[in-house]
Amino acid sequence: MKNKLLFLTGIVVIILCASARQRPLQRFELKGFAQGTTYSIIYYAADSLVSIAQTDSLLKRFDRSVSLYDPNSLISQFNRSAKGIQIDEPFRVLVTRAIQISKATGGLVDPTVKPLVDAWGFGVVKPTRYPNKNEIKTLLKNIGIDKIYLKGRYLHKKSAAVQLDLNGIAQGYSVDLLALLLERNHISNYLIELGGELRIKGRKPNNEPFKVGIEGISGNDLNPEPMRKVIEPGDGAITTSGNYRKHHKAGGKQVSHLMNPLTGFPMQNEMISVTVYARDAITADGFDNGFMVMGLKRTLAFLAKRKDMGAYIVYRKADGLVADTVTSGFKNKN
Amino acid sequence: MERRTFLKNSGLVAGGLVLSNNLIAANLVPNPIKIAVIGCGDRGTGIMHILNGLPDMFRITAICDVLDFRLAAAQKLSKNGVLKAYADYRKLLDDKDVDAVIVAVPLNLHYPIATDVIKSGRHLYLEKTMTYNIEQALDLVKLMDGRSKQVLQVGHQYRYSPLYYRVKEMVNKGFLGKVTQVDCRWDRNGDWRRPVPNASLERAINWRMYKEYSGGLMAELLSHQIDFINWIFDTHPQEFFATGGIDVFKDGRETYDNVQVMMRYPDLGLIGNFGAMCGNAHDGYLFKIKGTLGTVSLLTDQGMFFPEKKLLKEKGTIDGVTGATRIMWNKEGGTPILPEPTKDGTWYAFKDFYAKVQAKELPDSNVFTGARTAISVHLANQSLYERKISTWDKSYML
């Protein structure tokens, strides 16, 4: 009798396990608002494993660390401080990575660029006019990664005027943090998108790859162009930096929101947009603005031999026509 | 005035010396336009507030109203000491210290006062609706003929708002596809009356309640939206089907407090639905333009664009989109047309009035468009009060 029961129980357990393994994957979609934009997460799992409440709360916590729009965030506190402050783990990761990328790009991206961003009218508070050469010279004195340093959890600044802007890299990292949340919940097929920055893993149930559209460059939100290109990036991250949407017009010239931290002036070159592939979004997002400032030739040289990172570049040729090109690290994405 | 003429003449000479026009323009700081306000009610004083914010462009020099307490209240808004105050607008028109005149009086007085202002040679900012009836509208058009240096701007201020301008552009460029319906409302839950200090002033203050003075809700409120549709499509309705009544406030008023009109624009294949009432405030101001590709939904200072759902689905073959500072859709699938709310339309309208007076050019909201809208309003009211279908007469050549 006892044996029989055990036997039956065993059968039931086996059946349950088998059915669990075979339960078809369902599509789950989370849509929300964060960082002044929208985000969406698509994942495939047997059951709902992550909720919008979890992702919202993760992103709110993240804002309290590094959002310039929150006057009480750690980054706002750092910017107001005289000598620096104690920071948290996400902030530390971001600053560390931003410093590495700044070095790798010869200073063409720089976390201390905030005074320039503000002066050129792309910060939270808008000035009434553009800065002159002398004002820029003064601002440049407090710009550069040598103006900050980390000791444990304490982020020091060498002068009170040093201010951080991590907007060029933070969005990417928040996408990585969302990916980490999914993976901790054993989700291995997902696409996360926040403000046009993506992180992808796995495939759709019928073994179909995730497809990503690269937006057209008209910059016309109300009558968008068809996708410029559709790619299948595989596992990793895709981010885009572009000039076609966020800029001012002054004296018939476009003033880009992307600063060259070395000259103090907004970038001005042939680049229209760069879509970067990398293993994680903090890397892709960290480099994409740098490639914009580098320009076509230097970006192609920088990425020529790299397999772990690649770019799809849209640029304006000398004759005014729009052209595009890919680096070797991006070639297998089509 | 003298200073400007002087600079202009010296500009001609300097032009011969190959001085760039820009340089001259930079040196030429014209004096503010000396402007008078006839009619110091809510609208007249509201405009005075706006003008006070544009001191480089306008200096209020005189005011006029038939009611003493209104003059006294307007006087308090002066930024330039005591203003010359008139009870009779004809005396104001004798005042040499007036270059331009704002007329913000009851609708029945628009025509006689505007006529005298135009004949006096002044530039005129005439509140909407341009005239009380069709004949007067056509007469003003005739009167302005040959007066190309004199500016007459009609107070349909929404034409000047960057938001409404952007919407016109969106429609004209085809972002909305083929537009076949327009829905407009301007509702309130209240009697639309102003307080009367003394019963003998009832008709003078609450003139909007009486047919003798006013075209009611159609003329005072819906005319803005009617004008905007005329402007976007450069057309006017052909047929008017209206109904209404005094349904909420049976308080002795004559103009209806509940009105609805359908207008047909056959050249466009477009139906316009315009309604206003005093018995529900939920919709308040509503303005929707509906096309095969999307809908524009407008408030006075902000607007949203909603692409048709089937178009969003066409993007559905991909799982995600990457792009720079991507477009943001709200929960209802809409996106703001402009990033921030605009200022009051009147502010933009007066900035342009200033520019047009300087350049002596025809304003966007001019005597022709003003007449087109006044006639549209009048035909709508004709249908409403005479219970018939009204049609645009070919003889209204504009």
Side-chain angles (χ1 to χ4, degrees):
Chain A
M1 187 62 182
K2 218 180 181 185
N3 272 349
K4 232 181 187 176
L5 200 68
L6 219 87
F7 176 73
L8 274 178
T9 315
I11 298 258
V12 169
V13 167
I14 288 166
I15 289 171
L16 275 177
C17 288
S19 66
R21 211 175 295 140
Q22 282 173 7
R23 269 174 72 191
L25 294 179
Q26 293 182 59
R27 182 178 192 272
F28 295 95
E29 191 166 356
L30 309 176
K31 278 178 179 291
F33 291 85
Q35 303 172 13
T37 183
T38 51
Y39 73 90
S40 101
I41 298 172
I42 299 166
Y43 68 87
Y44 292 89
D47 209 343
S48 159
L49 298 170
V50 170
S51 70
I52 191 88
Q54 284 171 284
T55 55
D56 273 352
S57 111
L58 182 152
L59 291 166
K60 269 188 195 131
R61 261 199 322 276
F62 187 72
D63 275 355
R64 285 201 291 274
S65 298
V66 293
S67 169
L68 290 172
Y69 286 87
D70 176 355
N72 298 316
S73 65
L74 285 176
I75 196 169
S76 298
Q77 290 177 38
F78 174 83
N79 287 342
R80 284 194 302 269
S81 72
K83 290 181 175 165
I85 60 161
Q86 192 87 13
I87 60 174
D88 65 3
E89 180 60 12
F91 197 162
R92 192 194 63 78
V93 171
L94 272 170
V95 171
T96 309
R97 195 77 180 106
I99 291 172
Q100 285 167 357
I101 294 173
S102 186
K103 283 178 184 160
T105 58
L108 291 179
V109 277
D110 195 314
T112 64
V113 76
K114 181 168 179 287
L116 284 176
V117 174
D118 290 347
W120 285 98
F122 293 97
V124 178
V125 180
K126 312 284 178 216
T128 50
R129 60 171 182 85
Y130 288 125
N132 62 36
K133 273 185 188 160
N134 281 333
E135 287 163 333
I136 289 168
K137 227 171 144 184
T138 313
L139 293 176
L140 283 175
K141 285 180 190 159
N142 290 304
I143 288 164
I145 46 170
D146 56 325
K147 308 293 186 294
I148 51 170
Y149 60 98
L150 263 168
K151 251 190 194 164
R153 275 288 174 83
Y154 199 94
L155 181 61
H156 294 265
K157 53 160 118 168
K158 289 188 175 164
S159 138
V162 174
Q163 294 193 48
L164 294 184
D165 180 338
L166 294 169
N167 289 349
I169 186 171
Q171 202 159 64
Y173 186 46
S174 64
V175 172
D176 287 340
L177 292 175
L178 288 170
L180 198 62
L181 174 71
L182 296 191
E183 296 198 5
R184 279 195 188 132
N185 286 279
H186 312 292
I187 298 168
S188 47
N189 297 290
Y190 59 78
L191 179 145
I192 302 165
E193 182 269 326
L194 195 162
E197 325 283 27
L198 294 102
R199 181 81 190 256
I200 296 161
K201 191 175 179 192
R203 294 183 152 237
K204 294 196 266 186
N206 45 5
N207 207 28
E208 240 186 83
F210 285 106
K211 286 189 177 138
V212 172
I214 299 177
E215 186 180 77
I217 52 152
S218 74
N220 185 344
D221 283 338
L222 302 177
N223 192 31
E225 275 180 23
M227 291 302 152
R228 194 165 171 94
K229 204 177 175 70
V230 176
I231 56 171
E232 293 165 6
D235 292 2
I238 294 280
T239 71
T240 296
S241 173
N243 251 339
Y244 56 89
R245 209 189 278 284
K246 206 171 162 190
H247 53 75
H248 300 155
K249 267 195 181 139
K253 265 191 185 173
Q254 286 191 359
V255 178
S256 171
H257 74 289
L258 298 169
M259 300 296 137
N260 182 335
L262 301 179
T263 65
F265 282 83
M267 63 159 278
Q268 221 175 1
N269 60 28
E270 68 278 48
M271 304 291 265
I272 298 172
S273 80
V274 180
T275 300
V276 176
Y277 167 82
R279 292 264 159 76
D280 51 22
I282 193 174
T283 307
D285 204 15
F287 274 98
D288 61 12
N289 290 349
F291 294 147
M292 286 295 289
V293 182
M294 264 184 206
L296 181 64
K297 222 170 148 188
R298 285 176 68 190
T299 303
L300 290 178
F302 187 93
L303 289 171
K305 287 183 187 122
R306 294 189 69 150
K307 289 279 172 230
D308 59 335
M309 187 160 44
Y312 168 70
I313 302 167
V314 184
Y315 62 100
R316 197 172 297 281
K317 293 194 291 184
D319 59 11
L321 294 176
V322 173
D324 56 14
T325 184
V326 290
T327 69
S328 58
F330 208 89
K331 276 196 177 126
N332 57 348
K333 309 296 173 203
N334 293 292
Chain B
M1 244 354 201
E2 282 76 6
R3 183 178 139 75
R4 263 193 60 219
T5 318
F6 165 73
L7 283 168
K8 246 196 177 158
N9 292 339
S10 66
L12 285 174
V13 178
L17 299 172
V18 208
L19 265 173
S20 89
N21 280 330
N22 284 342
L23 192 64
I24 294 157
N27 289 334
L28 191 149
V29 184
N31 289 326
I33 296 171
K34 287 180 249 175
I35 198 159
V37 183
I38 301 178
C40 300
D42 285 350
R43 185 61 188 154
T45 50
I47 290 174
M48 288 176 74
H49 275 293
I50 303 260
L51 297 183
N52 281 342
L54 299 168
D56 294 344
M57 299 182 182
F58 299 100
R59 188 156 69 81
I60 302 168
T61 52
I63 49 177
C64 171
D65 203 292
V66 290
L67 300 174
D68 293 346
F69 68 93
R70 286 249 166 97
L71 273 181
Q75 192 65 263
K76 284 187 190 143
L77 298 177
S78 171
K79 295 247 165 182
N80 313 303
V82 178
L83 300 173
K84 278 181 264 180
Y86 299 91
D88 182 347
Y89 76 88
R90 276 167 288 235
K91 297 226 169 82
L92 181 147
L93 293 179
D94 292 334
D95 189 332
K96 293 280 175 282
D97 214 24
V98 172
D99 301 330
V101 177
I102 295 159
V103 173
V105 297
L107 181 57
N108 67 317
L109 296 174
H110 281 196
Y111 175 73
I113 298 179
T115 305
D116 287 341
V117 173
I118 294 164
K119 285 180 179 163
S120 81
R122 269 37 172 261
H123 302 294
L124 169 61
Y125 188 95
L126 176 56
E127 259 313 323
K128 59 91 225 244
T129 304
M130 190 175 91
T131 57
Y132 178 77
N133 64 30
I134 295 173
E135 263 177 13
Q136 294 172 349
L138 298 172
D139 273 0
L140 270 197
V141 171
K142 264 186 232 149
L143 183 60
M144 284 304 288
D145 188 30
R147 293 177 182 268
S148 60
K149 301 263 185 262
Q150 205 176 339
V151 173
L152 189 170
Q153 184 166 325
V154 180
H156 289 295
Q157 68 269 22
Y158 294 110
R159 285 184 177 216
Y160 295 92
S161 142
L163 170 66
Y164 279 65
Y165 192 82
R166 177 82 177 117
V167 170
K168 174 176 161 60
E169 198 179 62
M170 286 171 66
V171 172
N172 294 158
K173 283 190 173 164
F175 296 4
L176 272 64
K178 179 170 166 47
V179 176
T180 50
Q181 288 254 355
V182 172
D183 281 339
C184 306
R185 299 213 64 82
W186 204 325
D187 294 346
R188 70 189 61 230
N189 198 340
D191 64 7
W192 199 37
R193 284 174 169 280
R194 304 281 188 271
V196 178
N198 159 352
S200 69
L201 296 177
E202 160 63 13
R203 289 176 82 87
I205 289 174
N206 282 315
W207 55 273
R208 291 177 186 82
M209 305 290 129
Y210 303 97
K211 286 186 188 169
E212 185 185 348
Y213 318 116
S214 171
L217 293 169
M218 207 76 83
E220 300 304 332
L221 299 179
L222 295 175
S223 62
H224 282 302
Q225 287 147 318
I226 294 169
D227 177 71
F228 187 63
I229 297 301
N230 285 351
W231 185 50
I232 288 188
F233 295 103
D234 189 21
T235 187
H236 58 74
Q238 288 288 349
E239 293 159 5
F240 303 77
F241 314 75
T243 182
I246 300 169
D247 299 326
V248 192
F249 293 98
K250 300 181 193 304
D251 56 4
R253 73 181 62 203
E254 298 165 8
T255 57
Y256 292 171
D257 62 5
N258 187 18
V259 305
Q260 189 70 35
V261 56
M262 288 186 292
M263 300 184 183
R264 178 78 187 155
Y265 307 74
D267 50 331
L268 299 169
L270 171 67
I271 297 169
N273 306 290
F274 300 82
M277 65 149 145
C278 297
N280 176 291
H282 179 72
D283 276 336
Y285 183 92
L286 177 149
F287 196 166
K288 287 182 179 168
I289 304 171
K290 299 174 174 179
T292 49
L293 300 182
T295 302
V296 158
S297 177
L298 291 168
L299 298 176
T300 55
D301 63 346
Q302 46 196 307
M304 297 289 286
F305 175 59
F306 299 87
E308 282 290 274
K309 289 240 164 59
K310 65 171 188 187
L311 298 175
L312 287 180
K313 271 191 202 136
E314 278 165 20
K315 291 208 282 180
T317 48
I318 48 175
D319 303 293
V321 178
T322 183
T325 322
R326 230 205 45 244
I327 181 167
M328 162 142 175
W329 304 101
N330 73 1
K331 283 168 187 148
E332 289 77 44
T335 191
I337 293 167
L338 293 182
E340 282 160 2
T342 57
K343 289 176 192 281
D344 185 309
T346 308
W347 186 83
Y348 303 101
F350 272 94
K351 281 190 77 158
D352 206 60
F353 182 58
Y354 175 82
K356 291 297 190 289
V357 167
Q358 296 302 318
K360 303 199 167 32
E361 280 173 3
L362 190 70
D364 276 351
S365 181
N366 54 58
V367 74
F368 303 104
T369 66
R372 204 157 64 171
T373 297
I375 294 170
S376 305
V377 166
H378 191 78
L379 289 172
N381 267 338
Q382 200 180 67
S383 170
L384 181 68
Y385 289 106
E386 296 174 24
R387 299 179 198 286
K388 63 171 197 180
I389 299 171
S390 297
T391 50
W392 190 280
D393 191 309
K394 280 194 187 118
S395 67
Y396 309 148
M397 295 291 283
L398 295 171

